């Protein structure tokens, strides 16, 4: 959803921008949007399954071991990355993967899949905040109200889940904290990447930032292996493959392809279904029980998300 931070000039004159949405989209495109919401919505429950067999850093590194070769393949014949851009792109990868994705994996380990799904849905809210700070985009009073509503919902979800044990895990404050750190880091990654992708191309920046982030993880994975033996299982490898191939690579290119045809506001609205798919999967696959506090808190988060992005 990083394309929501494009300039007001682009928004005002979409017909003059190469690759702008044509508004000529079909039921097939709607189906693609629903499929993407399902793919991304399943990411937290699948991570939870993978963590049953693999430790957090190993699962994260294995995920990007699947993703990096495919992403580099997509850069063939595209814009090359100049040497002067390497430090910024490397730092972007460290932020997005070394902090954002690693924190998310630790957060999933410390929360139920349902709570992790809801807290991760705050990424677009933090994007609005950072876009206002870094890109000078205005935040209206109604959007500020949406932010406060969503964060009140997070508090209700987290505190309510701590009082009711889920079938497979209990939410902790540390887990929620890791998830919030992940949302902040990933949101800033998206906003910062706007500047770099405008200059060097989306596929190029995405591939090389992911590569640098993956390489930075490897020493920490070695350290993790010295602390506890790691046994690779079919479920652990399958979870990493799903996260790397479908969530990271296929999801990215599906999203970019849809934004060439479908207005961003329509694509974003369909992606509000992600938490619903994630919560349903958590209940079906992991047996998460959803109490009244969780339901009310989830409604507040989704309402806050809708209010905040209503003018974006």
């Amino acid at each position: 959803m990083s394309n929501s931070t494009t300039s007001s000039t682009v928004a005002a004159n979409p017909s003059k921008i190469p690759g702008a949405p044509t508004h000529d989209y079909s039921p097939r495109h709607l189906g693609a949007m629903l499929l993407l919401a399902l793919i991304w919505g399943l990411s937290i429950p699948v991570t939870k399954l993978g963590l049953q067999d693999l430790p957090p850093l190993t699962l994260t590194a294995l995920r990007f071991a699947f993703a990096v070769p495919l992403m580099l393949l997509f850069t063939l014949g595209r814009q090359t990355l100049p040497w002067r851009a390497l430090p910024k792109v490397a730092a972007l990868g460290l932020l997005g993967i070394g902090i954002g994705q690693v924190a998310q994996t630790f957060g999933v380990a410390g929360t139920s899949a349902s709570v992790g799904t809801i807290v991760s849905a705050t990424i677009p809210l933090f994007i609005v905040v950072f876009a206002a700070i870094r890109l000078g985009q205005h935040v209206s009073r109604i959007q500020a109200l949406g932010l406060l509503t969503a964060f009140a919902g997070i508090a209700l979800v987290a505190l309510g889940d701590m009082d009711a044990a889920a079938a497979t895990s209990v939410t902790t404050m540390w887990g929620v904290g890791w998830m919030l750190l992940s949302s902040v880091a990933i949101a800033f990654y998206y906003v910062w990447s706007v500047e770099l992708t405008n200059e060097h191309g989306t596929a190029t920046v995405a591939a090389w930032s992911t590569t640098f982030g993956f390489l930075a993880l490897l020493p920490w994975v070695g350290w993790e292996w010295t602390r506890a033996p790691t046994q690779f299982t079919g479920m652990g490898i399958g979870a990493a493959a799903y996260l790397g191939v479908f969530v990271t690579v296929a999801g990215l290119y599906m999203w970019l392809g849809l934004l060439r045809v479908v207005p961003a506001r329509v694509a974003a609205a369909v992606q509000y279904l992600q938490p619903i798919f994630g919560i349903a999967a958590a209940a079906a696959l992991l047996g998460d029980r959803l109490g009244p506090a969780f339901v009310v808190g989830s409604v507040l988060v989704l309402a806050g998300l809708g209010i905040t992005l209503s003018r974006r």
Side-chain angles (χ1 to χ4, degrees):
M1 301 181 68
S2 57
N3 285 24
S4 64
T5 55
T6 48
S7 68
S8 58
T9 303
V10 174
N13 299 285
S15 61
K16 297 182 180 180
I17 302 300
T22 63
H23 300 265
D24 184 22
Y25 53 96
S26 65
R28 179 172 62 87
H29 295 119
L30 177 60
M33 286 186 283
L34 290 171
L35 176 60
L36 182 57
L38 176 62
I39 289 173
W40 280 347
L42 291 176
S43 63
I44 300 298
V46 169
T47 300
K48 195 74 175 178
L49 288 174
L51 287 170
Q52 292 180 10
D53 292 339
L54 295 176
L57 295 174
T58 300
L59 178 62
T60 306
L62 189 57
R63 166 186 181 170
F64 290 101
F66 281 107
V68 164
L70 294 174
M71 298 184 81
L72 290 176
L73 184 64
F74 279 111
T75 65
L76 297 178
R78 295 177 181 266
Q79 185 177 353
T80 58
L81 189 69
W83 286 102
R84 61 180 173 79
L86 284 179
K88 288 185 178 180
V89 173
L92 186 69
L94 291 175
L95 175 67
I97 296 176
I99 298 177
Q101 297 298 338
V102 169
Q104 185 178 91
T105 307
F106 279 116
V108 172
T111 62
S112 69
S114 299
V115 171
T117 297
I118 285 296
V119 178
S120 69
T122 60
I123 291 173
L125 305 178
F126 287 114
I127 288 177
V128 172
V129 173
F130 289 131
I133 296 173
R134 189 169 180 87
L135 303 179
Q137 294 190 1
H138 175 67
V139 177
S140 67
R141 291 182 179 178
I142 189 68
Q143 289 172 327
L145 175 63
L147 291 170
L148 293 175
T149 301
F151 290 129
I154 293 172
L156 191 58
V157 164
L159 295 174
D161 196 71
M162 288 174 202
D163 294 332
T168 56
S169 64
V170 177
T171 297
T172 65
M173 285 302 297
W174 280 108
V176 174
W178 278 115
M179 291 301 300
L180 285 173
L181 173 61
S182 167
S183 295
V184 169
I186 292 173
F188 191 76
Y189 167 89
Y190 284 145
V191 172
W192 190 15
S193 68
V194 169
E195 305 165 30
L196 295 175
T197 55
N198 284 341
E199 187 174 356
H200 306 296
T202 300
T204 300
V205 171
W208 285 107
S209 64
T210 302
T211 300
F212 285 120
F214 167 67
L215 293 176
L217 271 183
L218 296 181
W220 293 102
V221 174
W223 169 81
E224 187 176 62
W225 287 359
T226 64
R227 296 174 60 85
T230 299
Q231 183 177 2
F232 290 92
T233 64
M235 186 168 71
I237 295 173
Y242 177 84
L243 295 170
V245 175
F246 291 97
V247 174
T248 303
V249 180
L252 170 66
Y253 287 98
M254 284 178 67
W255 177 253
L256 295 176
L258 284 167
L259 288 180
R260 294 190 178 96
V261 181
V262 180
R265 67 181 184 277
V266 177
V270 175
Q271 295 312 307
Y272 294 163
L273 295 172
Q274 283 183 48
I276 298 174
F277 286 135
I279 292 166
L285 299 176
L286 301 166
D288 282 9
R289 292 194 294 270
L290 311 180
F294 181 90
V295 174
V296 175
S298 298
V299 170
L300 288 174
V301 170
L302 295 177
L305 183 63
I307 293 171
T308 305
L309 301 183
S310 60
R311 297 178 182 271
R312 278 296 192 253

